[in-house]
Structures are given as structure tokens and as C-alpha cells.
Amino acid sequence: MLATVLQSSRRVSSLRCAFSASFASSVKDVPMFINGEKRVSSTTKFHEVHDPSTGRLIARVPDCTQAEMTEAANAAQAAFHTWRRVPPSERARLILKYQAAIRDETENIAKIITEEQGKTLADARGDVFRGLEVVEHACSTPSLLMGETLGSIARDVDTYSFREPLGVVAGITPFNFPAMIALWMFPLAAACGNTFLLKPSERVPLTAVKLMEIWHACGAPAGVVNMIHGAHDAVNFICDSPHVQAISFVGGNTAGRHIYQRGTSNGKRVQSNMGAKNHCVIMPDVDYDSVAQTLVGAAFGAAGQRCMALSTAVFVGGVEREILPRVADIAATKKVGPGFAETSDLGPLISPQARKRVEGLIQSGVDEGATLLLDGRNPTVPAGYENGNWVGPTIFSNAKPHMKIYQEEIFGPVLVSLTAPNLDDAISIINRNKYGNGTAIFTRSGAAARKFTNEIGAGQVGINVPIPVPLPMFSFTGNRASIMGDLNFYGKSGVHFYTQLKTVTSAWREKDVISASTMVMPTYTK
């Protein structure tokens, strides 16, 4: 196995997998990866994968059979016994090789993301890059695995600790970031000495296939990372499998609560990152044009389909009268269209069901009395794309906390605005919301920023930064109803999630040192 890791000399920059390229021209069944082999499932149950910008069928993803999922888990369990003994520095070399390969293949991965998920190519490149940053940080895992030592805690007694891998761990990833979230998970878990079972979203499996192709082309040993497909049965298999020791999940609240409850009831460690309602506070002292530009990008980028989208603005002291018209004017110029078109600012939503849900929430805002400043329903799109899942930038003013558009995570390009007479009331509005993923304040006052930082109940705070997703040397630190589990994603907390401490106390008595040879029969004495 070590030879496989160290001696693989393929030029990963020239990887061009025929499987990935073929999806543009034909519909094929998405393969699994079990024990290092790409295989087609024997199931008769499939989910269809459609291009969100056209509705065109591009692939079928299987509901893997119980036997196939069991085989994948068994392969991971078998590989763990050898992989855990690979020195951390050698595991890190594989991750280093993988990050270089991801960097070389960024454009190809981005094109797959755009085809199956719909986001613009520029946004897809960002999806890959933010995941790549975590892979790069995983290369430093050996230093994060180091423990502590205290000598002579008693006469001739020393104590030391170190981190060990858990065993087989699993990741369940969402549709909105097909590359980034997967790359948050399995490279760091593998660098820590675990083996992995990946289940990508059945809506966007092709990116994960590409990531697996590159992983194995880098010389990764068979069974270290395995991939299965499916929906409810696959999720429940992961929650119930006796081999799986921990589960990392990103997605919606219903699935997240189910995974946390079922996984923990089976004795597994679970981190479940779920919904969000990210607020920003805009103080009266800001530059109006700058903030308006920032709000447009943060609210409508990725068509609003990101858990850190800045979907709710709280304007303090009447400043909305100056800023919201600017936001609406800028947003109205943004073009909705296919992700491969350079002129597109927003791509489609993931599915017709998602579009229908967002449109229904927009109508609920109108019905409940909010002011619809900009209506993104039925936007104009290029010819040939009429069947896409399109919703354009949408803006509400005069929203109230009881309204459905405020209470629910819309997960579309919709900005909801509220007002507050002062900063204290703005903080109170945010802290009463059940979610705590991220928040931001825009101000020129250091005192206001400090007060906001100290009093706000969200895990990630931006000061004049609209989407404060931490770089990987820190951790993704959402809180309250946005996460279940005690350990956060990536960074030092991520290493702690994928490992457990072992503490050793040893006694080596000085009197037992044999200072000179003797021919006398050894006897036991107190």
C-alpha cells in the first residue's frame, strides 16, 4: 500500500476521464466506487439527473442495493486496518498530490458542476477553489494530530496523549456545492487516518465521480474512499452501519435532524450542518452605493442557493430609503441565464420543484403584506432555455418577523428587508431568529461593530464582510438551529471530529534499571 501511495507517478495534470466527458453527449448510469473500482450498480431503481437550465436528462444515478452498500462499508473497514498505520506524513503526501491534481483539473470540474447544478462557470470555479483550500490545509494535518506530554507526574511516571483515527467515517453532501462540501470531508478524514464512505446528493453525482477518478489516479489505496449512491435507503444505511463511526452531513433541516437522531442513537458521532437565515445590519453611516453593490452579490449570487447567502437585511435608522432603491436598480440589471454563457449573472435553481417552492414563498410575501420591490418570477432568458428553473433577483421591503418569507429559508434569489430604529433592536431581531449560521454588519463605527460582535447569536460574523465563511485554518462555526453536533467542519475542530484522544500513563521505575550484569537467579522483592 505504501508503495502505491509513494510511487504513483502518473501525470495527474493530464487526466481526462472518458466517463466524465461522455455525459455531455449521452445519458449513462452513474458509477459507484467500491474498493478502488468504478462499478455500475445492479439496481433497477434510479434517480434522473437533469440539466437545470434546459431540463435535459443527462444521467441516471442508482439507488445502490443493500449488498453493494454493505460491500462498500466492508471495503472501507478492511482498508482502515492498513491505512491507519500509514505514517501521517505519508498520508499527507497523498493529499498534497491530490490538491495539485484538483488545481490542474479545476476547469473540467467546474464545467461538470455547471452542467449538473446550473451555477455559472465563475461560481463553479469558486466552488472548486473553496474546497481546494480545505484540501491544502489537510496537508498540514500531521501537526494537528500532535498530542501533549507531561513528564514525571509522579515518581517515575509520565503521561502523554495523541490523536487516533475513528475508523470508517461517512459524508452525505448537498446539491448546492458539489465539489466544495465533498472536499471539506474526505481528504481531511483520510489525512487523519480514517477510511471514508461518500454519498453525494442524487441531484449532482457527476462532480463526485470526477473527484473520485482524480483521487484514485493519484495513487490512493483501494478502499480508503468509497462512494455509494441513493436517497433515503442510502442515508439510513450509513446511519445504521456498524462499521461507520461518524457522519458528516450538510443539507436541509429535515434530513439533518433525522441523520443526527438516527446516527447518534446508534452510537455514532454526527455533525449536521443545516438551514440558515443569514442577516446583515446596515447602519446609517455606510457608503450607500458600496453597500448596495455588496448586497446584490451576497443575496443573489449562486441564485441564492447557499447556506451563507445574505438573505435578510435589517436597516437601522431609516437608511433603507437610500439603499434599497439602489439595490433594486442594480439587481434589475443582472442577467438570468445558462451557466455556460459569459453574460449570465445567475443560473437556474436546481429543479422545477425548487422553482415552484420559491415562487410560492414570493407570493406568500405579497399576500402577507410585504412590499415587492422587484419580482424575479418568469424572467426573460435566452431562446432555447425556456424549460429551465428560472427565478430572477427578488426584493421585499417592509417585511415583518411573523411573515413566511422571513421565517423560512427561501434558498433562492430573494432578499427580505426589515427595519429597526437602533442597533439594539436590530440585534434583538436577529437573536430571536432560530438560525445562527452567519451574520454581518456594515458600519464605519468600531464601537458599533464591537457591540454587534459581542452580542449577536450567530457563529460566523462579518464586519463589512457580507459572507464570512472562514478560511480552513479556522472552522465553519455555525450555531443554534443551523447545526447539530458539538464539533464543527474543517480546521482544528474538523480534525477533532475525525479523531479521538488516547491518553497513556506509563511507569518505568528507576530501581528496575540493571546497572551491572549478575549471575544470581532473579527473584521478586517488594
Side-chain angles (χ1 to χ4, degrees), residues 253 256-258 260-261 270-274 480-487 489:
N253 280 38
R257 284 192 294 266
H258 171 80
Y260 183 83
Q261 291 164 0
V270 180
Q271 56 178 187
S272 185
N273 194 77
M274 303 181 295
R480 295 196 284 170
S482 292
I483 191 168
M484 299 182 77
D486 297 327
L487 292 169
F489 291 79

Side-chain angles (χ1 to χ4, degrees), residues 348-386:
L349 298 183
I350 188 64
S351 67
Q353 294 79 13
R355 184 195 68 220
K356 183 177 180 180
R357 178 181 175 276
V358 171
E359 290 175 341
L361 284 167
I362 294 171
Q363 187 58 46
S364 78
V366 174
D367 295 342
E368 291 186 303
T371 302
L372 185 58
L373 292 181
L374 183 65
D375 189 349
R377 292 173 291 185
N378 301 312
T380 300
V381 297
Y385 293 93
E386 294 81 3

Side-chain angles (χ1 to χ4, degrees), residues 226-249:
N226 304 271
M227 185 171 73
I228 60 173
H229 299 289
H232 300 91
D233 289 346
V235 167
N236 288 337
F237 172 83
I238 288 171
C239 291
D240 297 341
S241 171
H243 290 324
V244 174
Q245 303 301 307
I247 305 169
S248 184
F249 167 80

Side-chain angles (χ1 to χ4, degrees), residues 42 82 110 117 148 173 185 190 299 311 325 359 406 412 466 476 478-479 516 524:
S42 63
T82 305
Q117 201 276 344
E148 299 173 320
T173 61
M185 295 179 181
S311 61
E359 290 175 341
Y406 176 77
F476 190 93
N479 61 25
Y524 173 76

Side-chain angles (χ1 to χ4, degrees), residues 185-230:
M185 295 179 181
F186 72 84
L188 182 59
C192 290
N194 302 283
T195 53
F196 205 86
L197 189 60
L198 175 66
K199 193 210 84 68
S201 168
E202 63 274 17
R203 298 177 181 180
V204 290
L206 308 183
T207 303
V209 170
K210 183 66 172 176
L211 295 178
M212 288 297 95
E213 291 173 341
I214 299 170
W215 171 256
H216 288 99
C218 286
V224 171
V225 179
N226 304 271
M227 185 171 73
I228 60 173
H229 299 289

